[in-house]
């Protein structure tokens, strides 16, 4: 994780039984990258005494994993500022055990960050606990009042820099991680990059421009995303805007990808895929689509084109990853890489090949 100042709020991330797994994606993301909080530790008794970075990426980052909150607090010389609920169950709801864990954290004077669809500020038990313990609760997904929501206007077409959406063939696939890495690498070579977060984890990580699309009424999804993009373009004058994808356009259980394509009207798309994943997450009878079919669907649905493929190497050795990269490159005639295991330059090159003007901007700034 990147270095942060002493004034950055500190946080313990709760991810019991799920760290490093699909439903632990919020905790996983925060351990890899967080602008808003300095992550002190993770709670997951199944991985106690291990290093969080080593578990995720086989690279130590000195974020320890503890069995419970008591151990995590005992490790810190001063009380942390926040307790982040880092599990993202498909239901978006808290179990009774989860609620008791959060109430316990509140009794220990920790502020709460909740990214689920169940809003703790609407529950009298949690409101009373927040007053009693003088702590506050951040319900990340709670949308604005309806009178403040925006509908689509077409203003996004006034944005002249490239808008690139990072979509996928399934949910919990690493689209946010790929978007984050790409934004970081493009900034390193001198480009002014805006990343638009569209889900709870990116918002908790501290992205300035964001909207939790799956918590917005469908009539306003495209408009809310468009408004965020236009605001970012106006305020930042970026060289490129990257939009974090959600779900998959072909996935019947999610509609967020369609709203992303409608609301952002992306110039191009990078498509993420896990070659060894045979079925959709939480849908064991629903086969993962092929890359070719998802590309065809995206390019038929929206006036855009797929410029590259990024792989999630779950369940694969390095040799298998390289084999899939070569196979997809040959089959699809597109650049293919794995953002986590391959040189980051390959990911950057996908964009520079598609948008040569960006390379000109890089040279002009050097």
């Amino acid at each position: 994780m990147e270095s942060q100042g002493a004034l950055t709020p500190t946080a313990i991330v709760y991810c019991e039984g799920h760290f490093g797994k699909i439903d632990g994606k919020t905790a996983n993301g925060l351990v890899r990258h967080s602008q808003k909080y300095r992550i002190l530790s993770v709670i997951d008794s199944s991985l106690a005494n291990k290093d969080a970075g080593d578990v995720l990426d086989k690279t130590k980052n000195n974020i320890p994993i503890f069995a419970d909150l008591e151990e995590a607090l005992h490790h810190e010389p001063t009380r942390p500022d926040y307790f982040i609920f880092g599990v993202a169950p498909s239901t978006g709801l808290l179990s009774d055990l989860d609620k008791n864990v959060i109430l316990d954290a509140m009794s220990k004077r920790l502020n709460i960050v909740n990214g689920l669809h169940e809003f703790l500020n609407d529950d009298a038990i949690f409101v009373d606990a927040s007053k009693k313990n003088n702590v506050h609760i951040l319900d990340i997904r709670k949308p604005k009042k309806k009178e403040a929501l925006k509908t689509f206007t077409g203003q996004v077409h006034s944005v002249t820099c490239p808008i690139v959406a990072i979509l996928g063939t399934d949910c919990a696939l690493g689209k946010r991680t790929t978007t984050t890495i790409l934004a970081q690498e493009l900034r390193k070579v001198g480009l002014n990059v805006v990343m638009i977060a569209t889900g709870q984890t990116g918002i908790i990580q501290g992205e300035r421009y964001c909207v939790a699309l799956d918590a917005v009424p469908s009539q306003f999804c495209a408009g809310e995303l468009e408004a965020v993009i236009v605001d970012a373009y106006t305020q930042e004058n970026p060289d490129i805007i990257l939009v974090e994808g959600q779900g998959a356009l072909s996935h019947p259980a999610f509609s967020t990808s369609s709203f992303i394509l409608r609301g952002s009207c992306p110039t191009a798309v990078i498509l993420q895929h896990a070659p060894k994943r045979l079925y959709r997450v939480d849908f064991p009878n629903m086969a993962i689509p092929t890359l070719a079919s998802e590309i065809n669907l995206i390019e038929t649905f929206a006036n855009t084109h797929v410029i590259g493929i990024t792989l999630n190497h779950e369940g694969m050795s390095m040799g298998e990853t390289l084999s899939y990269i070569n196979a997809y490159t040959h089959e699809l005639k597109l650049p293919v890489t794995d953002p986590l295991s391959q040189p980051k330059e390959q990911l950057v090159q996908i964009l520079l090949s598609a948008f040569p003007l960006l390379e000109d901007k890089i040279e002009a700034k050097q």
Side-chain angles (χ1 to χ4, degrees):
M1 227 178 67
E2 54 267 64
S3 61
Q4 296 164 315
L7 296 179
T8 304
T10 56
I12 292 171
V13 181
Y14 178 80
C15 197
E16 177 59 33
H18 293 285
F19 187 67
K21 300 177 182 177
I22 288 171
D23 281 358
K25 63 182 182 179
T26 295
N28 303 343
L30 286 166
V31 163
R32 286 187 172 121
H33 169 74
S34 178
Q35 304 172 78
K36 190 170 184 178
Y37 304 101
R38 180 162 63 90
I39 306 304
L40 300 175
S41 60
V42 173
I43 296 172
D44 185 342
S45 60
S46 67
L47 297 168
N49 303 315
K50 294 187 177 181
D51 180 275
D54 196 36
V55 170
L56 280 183
D57 301 312
K58 297 183 172 55
T59 303
K60 291 185 182 296
N61 63 5
N62 298 314
I63 297 177
I65 303 176
F66 294 109
D68 54 39
L69 181 56
E70 290 288 349
E71 285 190 16
L73 291 174
H74 182 73
H75 182 261
E76 300 302 329
T78 58
R79 185 173 62 228
D81 299 306
Y82 287 89
F83 179 89
I84 301 175
F85 191 81
V87 185
S90 59
T91 62
L93 303 176
L94 295 160
S95 67
D96 289 340
L97 175 60
D98 295 333
K99 292 179 180 180
N100 288 332
V101 166
I102 294 173
L103 288 169
D104 180 52
M106 295 175 75
S107 75
K108 294 176 169 60
R109 305 295 195 274
L110 299 180
N111 299 299
I112 305 300
V113 178
N114 166 44
L116 302 188
H117 287 292
E118 188 170 357
F119 306 137
L120 301 182
N121 281 301
D122 292 342
D123 188 318
I125 293 174
F126 287 93
V127 172
D128 290 344
S130 68
K131 293 176 181 176
K132 176 183 176 182
N133 298 294
N134 194 29
V135 297
H136 60 269
I137 302 168
L138 301 178
D139 286 318
I140 300 301
R141 266 193 175 120
K142 195 163 189 177
K144 297 182 289 187
K145 293 182 178 180
K146 284 190 178 179
E147 55 266 28
L149 294 170
K150 297 177 175 63
T151 54
F152 186 81
T153 65
Q155 282 185 296
V156 71
H157 294 301
S158 68
V159 175
T160 59
C161 72
I163 299 173
V164 179
I166 289 73
L167 304 183
T169 55
D170 196 13
C171 60
L173 196 64
K175 297 181 287 291
R176 186 200 65 259
T177 297
T178 293
T179 310
T180 301
I181 292 172
L182 185 53
Q184 291 171 337
E185 294 302 311
L186 290 172
R187 288 174 185 138
K188 284 179 184 178
V189 296
L191 292 178
N192 181 9
V193 183
V194 166
M195 173 177 162
I196 308 293
T198 56
Q200 58 156 319
T201 305
I203 296 172
I204 297 173
Q205 285 174 323
E207 293 300 335
R208 179 179 175 185
Y209 297 98
C210 54
V211 54
L213 275 179
D214 62 359
V216 176
S218 59
Q219 179 183 356
F220 302 99
C221 283
E224 282 293 293
L225 178 57
E226 177 192 43
V228 170
I229 290 172
V230 171
D231 183 39
Y233 178 68
T234 303
Q235 297 295 325
E236 308 297 334
N237 189 27
D239 296 314
I240 186 168
I241 295 174
L242 303 178
V243 183
E244 172 200 7
Q246 296 291 327
L249 184 59
S250 61
H251 203 314
F254 303 101
S255 56
T256 36
S257 283
S258 62
F259 294 129
I260 287 170
L261 285 166
R262 291 297 191 226
S264 70
C265 298
T267 322
V269 168
I270 291 174
L271 186 61
Q272 181 117 345
H273 181 64
K276 283 297 186 73
R277 192 181 291 190
L278 301 179
Y279 299 95
R280 312 265 197 186
V281 171
D282 297 322
F283 294 86
N285 298 318
M286 196 178 293
I288 288 284
T290 65
L291 277 168
S293 68
E294 194 74 20
I295 291 170
N296 179 65
L297 182 61
I298 290 168
E299 294 182 345
T300 302
F301 182 84
N303 181 24
T304 190
H305 61 289
V306 175
I307 59 172
I309 306 298
T310 49
L311 300 184
N312 177 328
H313 62 254
E314 63 182 24
M316 297 193 293
S317 66
M318 182 61 74
E320 287 176 306
T321 300
L322 293 173
S323 178
Y324 275 109
I325 288 174
N326 291 332
Y328 288 137
T329 300
H330 177 75
E331 174 193 347
L332 302 171
K333 303 296 187 294
L334 289 170
V336 183
T337 190
D338 173 0
L340 289 177
S341 72
Q342 298 304 299
K344 302 298 187 290
E345 293 79 9
Q346 293 182 11
L347 183 59
V348 171
Q349 194 56 47
I350 290 176
L351 275 183
L352 298 188
S353 296
F355 302 105
L357 286 178
L358 291 179
E359 197 147 22
D360 294 342
K361 289 190 175 186
I362 293 171
E363 292 176 359
K365 294 178 182 184
Q366 291 176 343

